[in-house]
Amino acid sequence: KIAIENSAIFCQNIGRGGIEAALYEMSEHFNSGFEVDMEKFILLQETIEVCETLKKNPYKINSYGSMLILTDNSKHLCEEFEKNGIISSKIGELCSNFMAKKVIKYSEVSFLERP
């Protein structure tokens, strides 16, 4: 509701396949590429520890309860979420000038493959 009231362009629940699948689906929906910084993702320490123990990629696990939101004003939307006790972060940008799915992690650049 907060996202829609604050001019969200696109909202998608992050479920099966995790954030990587959601990002890929969004880029296909808009026929564009994106650039995201994996260090901007908000992961609970418990999630990281369980994933390490189970040898799972935290960016590919089901993330029900999380959303991927596209907006023209991420700063304002993050502020509105914060006012309502919702943790959020700007993780990147949709790029209409190229189709690459660019991922930056610890200053290393890679490209997301189809999930």
Side-chain angles (χ1 to χ4, degrees), residues 2-58:
I2 295 168
I4 293 168
E5 290 174 353
N6 288 278
S7 304
I9 298 167
F10 178 82
C11 298
Q12 180 173 338
N13 288 315
I14 303 172
R16 188 177 196 137
I19 186 66
E20 288 188 1
L23 284 165
Y24 203 95
E25 288 173 21
M26 181 188 65
S27 72
E28 285 192 335
H29 178 81
F30 286 98
N31 195 31
S32 66
F34 59 78
E35 182 174 321
V36 296
D37 185 344
M38 300 300 263
E39 294 179 59
K40 302 285 183 178
F41 287 95
I42 299 169
L43 294 172
L44 298 175
Q45 185 60 36
E46 295 88 351
T47 302
I48 294 168
E49 291 174 13
V50 168
C51 286
E52 285 176 355
T53 300
L54 299 175
K55 296 182 169 85
K56 298 284 184 180
N57 181 335

Side-chain angles (χ1 to χ4, degrees), residues 25-95:
E25 288 173 21
M26 181 188 65
S27 72
E28 285 192 335
H29 178 81
F30 286 98
N31 195 31
S32 66
F34 59 78
E35 182 174 321
V36 296
D37 185 344
M38 300 300 263
E39 294 179 59
K40 302 285 183 178
F41 287 95
I42 299 169
L43 294 172
L44 298 175
Q45 185 60 36
E46 295 88 351
T47 302
I48 294 168
E49 291 174 13
V50 168
C51 286
E52 285 176 355
T53 300
L54 299 175
K55 296 182 169 85
K56 298 284 184 180
N57 181 335
Y59 306 109
K60 292 184 178 182
I61 62 171
N62 290 348
S63 298
Y64 296 108
S66 299
M67 291 194 80
L68 178 63
I69 301 170
L70 179 64
T71 181
D72 285 334
N73 192 343
S74 59
K75 182 178 178 185
H76 174 73
L77 187 56
C78 286
E79 289 169 354
E80 290 301 311
F81 281 140
E82 186 177 331
K83 287 179 192 175
N84 288 276
I86 300 169
I87 300 169
S88 63
S89 173
K90 178 183 177 182
I91 60 170
E93 296 180 357
L94 201 62
C95 303

